[in-house]
Amino acid sequence: MSSAYPHQFDERAPFRVAFFSTKRYDRTSFSGALTALKSPVVFEFLEARLEVHSASAAAGCHAVCAFVNDDLSAAVLEQLAAQGVRLVLLRCAGFNHVDLDAARRLGLRVARVPEYSPHAVAEHTLALLLTLIRKTHRAHARVREGNFELDGLLGFDLFGKTVGVVGTGRIGRCVVNLFKGLGCDVVAHDPMPDPGLGVRYVTLGELLSSSRVVLLQCPLTAQTHHLVNAQSLARLQRGTILVNTSRGAVVDTPAAIAALKSGQLGGLAIDVYEEEAELFFDDHSGEVIADDVFARLTTFPNVLITAHQAFFTEEALSAIAQTTLANAEAFAVRGEPLHAVA
Ligand code: NAI
């Protein structure tokens, strides 16, 4: 990048990126990538979440870098564009939170990190499921209290069970292979089946009614919004376990709570939650949780929640930083990010 930014920026000026929702680990991984790649990109690390009230912090920057719970609605994009921002760098795979029509209308390019470590998310899906069904989190707490009883810790074997995977893209494929390795009978549903995956594709209805465990690995789209709702939950075998590491709004949470209360749903493990933007990634331990739906979820013995950490491995953070930098540099030089979604 010696002749920096001939496409649209002053060659003498560095390519400035306002980096929203910064955590310590972001600073470490992105600063490390900048040094390793000798990149001339300059990140302005901001703790604030990107929203209407914080967007002005991007004034003077060519790009913003945003994460999953940053607000990229039309109102925010309009403000960013009016300030001269030209590029939105998502440091995540999902882009359901970006108003892509507004971005196109405003001439804003949007780039993402389509693949960083599908294994990170797939392995977290497995971790959640095994923890939930073998109750290792409860056993650990008991043992630390000097309680060595087994009552209440009864689990079940995954070997030989039917596991339904909804969405067999990059992450879903890894999930399929993990569960095949455990000796499960894996069935899948995807509008774009992968014939090379060696898995039986079935309708969503058949997947729901035949699976002991259902794993959600699809993106959030208009079609998958509340894909798990009162009707689809009613199609499950009684006591089915559901794991969601995709996006919160794929599940209608009040419907899932009703199914947990009736026993129709035997257990729920989630890494994502529809209203997570108000909670996840920050320490609220000294506050009253105002979200009654979320608070109710935390009361079930058969609900396990992690706060959007499925992506959070060393390998994934490093890959996210490298691809985000590559997107920024490609845009700065050629006006075209590597992995554009708008
Ligand atoms: P991908 O784009 O490679 O695969 C998605 C698959 O879902 C595709 O095969 C697609 O055809 C399928 N699909 C689309 N609509 C469907 C429907 N109605 N029913 C069933 N399948 C459907 O995406 P990838 O990388 O596998 O990621 C999947 C999702 O996982 C992302 O969109 C993101 O929302 C979520 N994710 C969550 C993370 C976390 O930390 N919890 C981290 C990374 C991704």
Side-chain angles (χ1 to χ4, degrees):
M1 284 200 42
S2 49
S3 66
Y5 325 128
H7 181 73
Q8 37 206 329
F9 298 112
D10 180 345
E11 293 191 15
R12 290 154 303 180
F15 189 78
R16 307 191 81 81
V17 179
F19 195 107
F20 285 88
S21 301
T22 307
K23 298 292 179 193
R24 195 156 44 111
Y25 46 81
D26 294 315
R27 208 182 272 267
T28 304
S29 60
F30 276 82
S31 300
L34 281 176
T35 309
L37 301 173
K38 298 189 171 54
S39 172
V41 170
V42 172
F43 287 115
E44 293 183 7
F45 291 110
L46 305 160
E47 282 181 22
R49 189 153 74 90
L50 176 57
E51 54 185 353
V52 170
H53 303 298
S54 62
S56 60
C61 290
H62 302 103
V64 294
C65 184
F67 197 45
V68 289
N69 290 329
D70 285 309
D71 181 353
L72 291 156
S73 60
V76 174
L77 294 178
E78 277 162 16
Q79 198 174 331
L80 292 174
Q83 289 168 189
V85 168
R86 307 289 305 280
L87 172 68
V88 175
L89 293 162
L90 300 173
R91 52 181 191 278
C92 55
F95 51 91
N96 52 280
H97 57 314
V98 187
D99 187 332
L100 295 179
D101 289 337
R104 288 187 197 103
R105 172 169 53 80
L106 295 161
L108 272 170
R109 302 306 308 273
V110 182
R112 66 171 179 146
V113 183
E115 174 170 330
Y116 36 92
S117 173
H119 305 286
V121 183
E123 290 171 18
H124 194 73
T125 298
L126 178 60
L128 283 177
L129 178 64
L130 284 174
T131 304
L132 181 65
I133 68 171
R134 299 306 302 270
K135 305 177 172 64
T136 46
H137 57 314
R138 305 188 71 201
H140 176 70
R142 276 192 195 184
V143 168
R144 286 169 68 99
E145 291 292 319
N147 176 357
F148 306 104
E149 260 188 358
L150 297 183
D151 267 350
L153 299 181
L154 190 63
F156 65 86
D157 290 3
L158 277 176
F159 180 83
K161 297 293 187 308
T162 300
V163 172
V165 181
V166 180
T168 54
R170 296 174 183 86
I171 295 168
R173 280 196 289 273
C174 294
V175 167
V176 166
N177 289 325
L178 284 176
F179 283 83
K180 284 207 289 194
L182 286 172
C184 298
D185 173 25
V186 184
V187 296
H189 174 72
D190 194 309
M192 308 267 284
D194 175 359
L197 191 56
V199 71
R200 189 159 56 90
Y201 281 94
V202 296
T203 62
L204 181 62
E206 189 180 340
L207 183 148
L208 294 172
S209 61
S210 65
S211 300
R212 181 73 182 87
V213 170
V214 173
L215 309 173
L216 302 176
Q217 314 297 162
C218 55
L220 174 61
T221 63
Q223 288 72 39
T224 63
H225 182 263
H226 288 187
L227 179 132
V228 174
N229 55 32
Q231 289 75 36
S232 48
L233 286 161
R235 304 183 78 158
L236 298 175
Q237 292 173 22
R238 190 168 173 79
T240 296
I241 306 290
L242 177 68
V243 182
N244 185 13
T245 55
S246 62
R247 282 292 180 269
V250 176
V251 175
D252 176 352
T253 311
I257 288 174
L260 284 161
K261 285 167 75 176
S262 72
Q264 172 66 2
L265 195 54
L268 174 68
I270 55 172
D271 183 54
V272 285
Y273 169 61
E274 187 164 8
E275 305 300 332
E276 70 178 46
E278 298 305 318
L279 295 169
F280 287 7
F281 305 120
D282 290 313
D283 181 0
H284 297 285
S285 57
E287 301 163 20
V288 172
I289 300 286
D291 182 335
D292 290 346
V293 174
F294 186 83
R296 181 68 179 99
L297 273 183
T298 63
T299 66
F300 291 94
N302 54 348
V303 171
L304 184 65
I305 306 173
T306 52
H308 211 133
Q309 74 174 75
F311 75 100
F312 199 53
T313 65
E314 293 169 7
E315 293 80 0
L317 285 191
S318 160
I320 287 169
Q322 287 176 27
T323 305
T324 304
L325 271 181
N327 272 331
E329 294 186 5
F331 178 81
V333 173
R334 295 190 295 277
E336 181 63 31
L338 289 184
H339 305 285
V341 289

